[in-house]
């Protein structure tokens, strides 16, 4: 019986993408292992892709785009440049929503003070994605399986006086921490109930007066 080939017979377009990924590794002075760590992929998976044994999936490419700030047009089509010239230029050209190097569930700093150009690590263009809304990461397991650890969410800043869309997912900024939860009605109108998707986590009741910031989660981007 004939042995199976180690490499996939990839189309020319895929081979070009692999060449650009190899170029990125060289350009950023990474090893395969450190490159994988930078994009959140294990070294073995990177090796399989670069060795031609596994075709680069859409999620693999999205990780490069989001985590390294690489132009997807350049990565997939060979047009544009690997790293757009500047945030200002990209913003002026309307190239997608800004992806911030912010874990929205870590820390207690007001998010409005964290949305600075220095924290933008890339831009993302997807159908139905509002380019004016910031995109941030989510960690933790309290909202699984709706939000997986490491996923990205597009959030819209809301006035504290605006009506709450009960049952929707919000980023809730409190004096000592930030949470991503469903907001549910509470029998006490001065309170709200923060509810997790994961049943292992208990509900949290908070006073509406303690909420310092609200961001409605408009889109979930799972790129794993």
């Amino acid at each position: 019986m004939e042995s199976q080939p180690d490499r996939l017979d990839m189309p020319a377009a895929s081979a070009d993408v692999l060449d650009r990924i190899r170029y990125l590794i060289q350009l950023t002075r990474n090893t395969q292992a450190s490159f994988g760590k930078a994009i959140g992929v294990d070294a073995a998976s990177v090796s399989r892709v670069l060795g031609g044994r596994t075709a680069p999936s859409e999620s693999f490419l999205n990780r490069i785009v989001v985590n390294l700030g690489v132009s997807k047009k350049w990565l997939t089509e060979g047009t544009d440049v690997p790293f757009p010239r500047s945030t200002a230029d990209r913003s002026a050209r309307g190239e997608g929503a800004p992806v911030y190097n912010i874990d929205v569930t870590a820390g207690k700093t007001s998010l409005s003070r964290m949305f600075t150009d220095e924290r933008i690590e890339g831009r993302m263009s997807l159908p139905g994605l509002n380019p004016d809304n910031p995109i941030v990461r989510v960690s933790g397991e309290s909202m699984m399986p709706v939000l997986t650890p490491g996923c990205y969410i597009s959030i819209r800043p809301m006035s504290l006086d605006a009506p709450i869309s009960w049952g929707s997912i919000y980023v809730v900024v409190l004096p000592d921490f930030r949470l991503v939860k469903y907001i549910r009605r509470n029998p006490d109108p001065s309170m709200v109930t923060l509810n997790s998707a994961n049943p292992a986590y208990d509900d949290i009741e908070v006073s509406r007066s303690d909420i310092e910031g609200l961001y409605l989660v408009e889109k979930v981007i799972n790129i794993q």
Side-chain angles (χ1 to χ4, degrees):
M1 184 174 66
E2 294 184 1
S3 60
Q4 294 295 319
D6 285 337
R7 294 172 59 88
L8 292 174
D9 189 10
M10 293 187 182
S14 295
D16 289 343
V17 170
L18 292 187
D19 285 342
R20 287 190 282 275
I21 295 173
R22 294 188 188 100
Y23 173 72
L24 271 180
I25 293 174
Q26 181 182 18
L27 184 65
T28 56
R29 298 184 179 181
N30 273 296
T31 63
Q32 286 189 19
S34 62
F35 180 79
K37 185 176 181 180
I39 65 172
V41 175
D42 63 88
S45 296
V46 175
S47 178
R48 286 194 295 270
V49 168
L50 295 180
R53 298 187 295 277
T54 303
S57 66
E58 186 70 12
S59 66
F60 186 92
L61 299 178
N62 283 341
R63 283 185 173 275
I64 296 174
V65 170
V66 171
N67 290 300
L68 298 183
V70 173
S71 163
K72 191 164 187 180
K73 287 185 179 180
W74 175 82
L75 183 61
T76 59
E77 303 172 15
T79 58
D80 201 2
V81 293
F83 299 97
R85 289 186 293 277
S86 72
T87 297
D89 287 346
R90 296 175 73 185
S91 180
R93 294 197 301 269
E95 294 183 2
V99 180
Y100 287 88
N101 183 20
I102 296 172
D103 182 343
V104 77
T105 49
K108 58 182 181 180
T109 304
S110 171
L111 288 177
S112 60
R113 288 164 44 200
M114 299 180 72
F115 294 137
T116 61
D117 288 350
E118 291 76 15
R119 286 185 175 269
I120 295 178
E121 60 181 10
R123 288 185 176 267
M124 188 182 295
S125 295
L126 293 171
L129 193 62
N130 187 336
D132 295 326
N133 288 349
I135 297 174
V136 292
R137 285 191 311 278
V138 176
S139 63
E141 300 179 348
S142 70
M143 290 300 289
M144 289 182 63
V146 180
L147 304 180
T148 58
C151 77
Y152 289 81
I153 54 176
S154 171
I155 58 177
R156 176 159 58 94
M158 305 295 292
S159 167
L160 295 179
D161 296 328
I164 291 175
S165 177
W166 302 109
S168 296
I169 302 175
Y170 283 83
V171 176
V172 183
V173 182
L174 297 169
D176 295 322
F177 46 87
R178 300 190 297 258
L179 300 167
V180 179
K181 300 287 183 185
Y182 291 110
I183 296 186
R184 310 285 188 187
R185 288 185 186 272
N186 189 285
D188 182 345
S190 69
M191 308 283 289
V192 294
T193 299
L194 305 183
N195 171 243
S196 300
N198 187 337
Y201 289 76
D202 293 332
D203 289 348
I204 302 172
E205 293 187 337
V206 300
S207 170
R208 296 184 69 161
S209 63
D210 286 338
I211 297 175
E212 298 180 347
L214 278 178
Y215 297 79
L216 178 65
V217 176
E218 291 200 330
K219 195 171 185 66
V220 179
I221 307 111
N222 287 306
I223 63 173
Q224 293 156 312

